[in-house]
Amino acid sequence: MGYRVAVVGATGNVGREMLNILAEREFPLAELTAVASPASQGRMIDFGDSGKELKVESIEHFDFTGYDIALFAAGSGPTKLHAPRAAAAGCVVIDNSSLYRMEPDVPLIVPEVNPDAISGMKRNIIANPNCSTAQMVVALKPLHDAAKIRRVVVSTYQSVSGAGKDAMDELFTQTRAIFVGDPKENNVFTKQIAFNCIPHIDDFLADGSTREERKMVQETHKILSPDIELTATCVRVPVFVGHSESINIEFEDELSAKDARDVLRKAPGIMVVDKQEDGGYVTPVECVGEYATYISRVRKDPTVKHGLNLWCVSDNLRKGAALNAIQIAELLGRKQLQKG
Ligand code: 2RA
């Protein structure tokens, strides 16, 4: 027994992680097909550490008939073109782009937070949240259940891998250029990213926020609760993989730092590493390749009645994208797809 799965966008950062995680978690597969742009057709790519290789097929005329699940990590453009025909062929699309996230008849799911939303699937499409939203709502959910969150202020420190492979190459080449005195270029980012921070991810909006910041607000409202007041500042930092977030929370009810740690320790998908000593916290380089959402620096915010500060780190290519999508596929297998 197993599922016929297509990974669309298989040669990108997230697509490759999807293949890695499908292999790691031994997802029940009757067939696995790597799909990408015509330019990648015929390339051989690894099926994680399975020792097997997959020959990339072109998305252009790919036939989804008979496939159970299509994991899309192809960006909004190709998704707009090909996801509807995959869904029409009877394949459930789990899409990592922002295209469908706010559609009322498309569930937006983080399995640790709102698994039951999967029953709202009406178009054979399920949306994966933005990476910076996913790790945050995993942390907020147990705290919201314990003491009802009223307001959140979050600042993100997002790695360059969130902007793709070219962005990772730019950080590397720019850093090297600065060290050896070569002229440095910035093509992917609007300003130098090496040894710098850029307070701008995705387009600027009329109110002065960015689309990335708007995503964190809207997606949290859809996944967790529309009653939470949330404001975000999203910043790109010179880190290859791993998003970090400084999260300030105001609750309706009292919750001590100790009780918050206890609640977080018991919550699914969370690892608390929180000692008030050198190295007693998690940094992005330690989260790479891991599944967990790490929480450190849990402490009261004395400036408001029921306030708490915490530090949240997770691999943005995994929990922020590929892992969450595959956890949705596992949920689908348990709840919706009945295989004979
Ligand atoms: C980023 N969250 O980090 C966006 C898309 N992955 O660039």
Side-chain angles (χ1 to χ4, degrees), residues 150 160 286:
R150 191 182 75 74
V160 297
E286 296 159 282

Side-chain angles (χ1 to χ4, degrees), residues 90-316:
C91 181
V92 175
V93 170
I94 300 172
D95 175 35
N96 192 54
S97 82
S98 57
L99 198 61
Y100 297 105
R101 288 176 186 157
M102 300 319 292
E103 299 273 315
D105 57 354
V106 173
L108 175 63
I109 297 179
V110 175
E112 295 90 337
V113 181
N114 64 333
D116 295 340
I118 203 165
S119 59
M121 182 178 71
K122 296 198 172 37
R123 298 160 57 179
N124 268 358
I125 295 177
I126 300 171
N128 213 35
N130 191 34
C131 40
S132 50
T133 306
Q135 66 187 72
M136 182 178 69
V137 294
V138 167
L140 295 181
K141 162 70 174 170
L143 298 172
H144 186 58
D145 289 348
K148 200 167 180 343
I149 295 173
R150 191 182 75 74
R151 180 173 185 261
V152 171
V153 180
V154 56
S155 298
T156 73
Y157 309 79
Q158 297 179 224
S159 65
V160 297
S161 56
K165 288 192 291 179
D166 291 348
M168 297 173 79
D169 291 346
E170 182 149 307
L171 174 58
F172 177 79
T173 52
Q174 217 174 74
T175 304
R176 184 178 56 187
I178 289 169
F179 268 121
V180 300
D182 284 352
K184 60 188 183 314
E185 292 178 13
N186 44 282
N187 303 303
V188 174
F189 298 107
T190 53
K191 295 205 170 196
Q192 174 185 320
I193 183 61
F195 310 106
N196 204 8
C197 296
I198 302 174
H200 169 201
I201 298 177
D202 211 328
D203 304 330
F204 275 102
L205 301 171
D207 68 358
S209 69
T210 63
R211 200 173 296 283
E212 186 81 355
E213 290 153 359
R214 173 80 57 86
K215 286 175 187 175
M216 293 191 80
V217 177
Q218 292 182 330
E219 293 174 20
T220 300
H221 286 168
K222 184 169 179 179
I223 295 165
L224 184 54
S225 167
D227 301 327
I228 294 175
E229 294 185 29
L230 189 143
T231 185
T233 300
C234 296
V235 180
R236 190 73 70 191
V237 295
V239 169
F240 283 107
V241 178
H243 284 355
S244 305
E245 297 174 348
S246 169
I247 305 177
N248 175 273
I249 306 167
E250 200 173 335
F251 297 92
E252 298 288 358
D253 309 318
E254 181 55 17
L255 184 68
S256 69
K258 179 188 178 305
D259 289 348
R261 273 187 223 95
D262 291 346
V263 162
L264 289 163
R265 281 197 177 94
K266 296 184 183 97
I270 290 177
M271 181 79 75
V272 175
V273 177
D274 192 16
K275 295 191 183 319
Q276 293 162 16
E277 61 189 41
D278 294 357
Y281 41 80
V282 180
T283 63
V285 295
E286 296 159 282
C287 79
V288 177
E290 302 297 334
Y291 290 164
T293 293
Y294 294 91
I295 305 289
S296 301
R297 304 293 323 280
V298 180
R299 63 203 187 280
K300 288 298 286 177
D301 168 7
T303 65
V304 291
K305 193 174 177 193
H306 303 308
L308 199 74
N309 288 308
L310 59 87
W311 175 249
C312 175
V313 175
S314 197
D315 183 328
N316 55 292

Side-chain angles (χ1 to χ4, degrees), residues 6-20 32-48 53-59 71-75 78 161 164-166 168-169 317 322:
V7 175
V8 182
T11 57
N13 276 346
V14 174
R16 285 180 178 279
E17 277 305 306
M18 285 176 169
L19 294 173
N20 293 339
L32 176 64
T33 306
V35 185
S37 67
S40 300
Q41 185 172 7
R43 274 177 59 182
M44 299 304 289
I45 55 173
D46 293 334
F47 172 29
E53 283 193 314
L54 300 166
K55 189 171 189 178
V56 175
E57 298 198 23
S58 168
I59 183 62
L71 300 169
F72 267 70
S161 56
K165 288 192 291 179
D166 291 348
M168 297 173 79
D169 291 346
L317 299 178

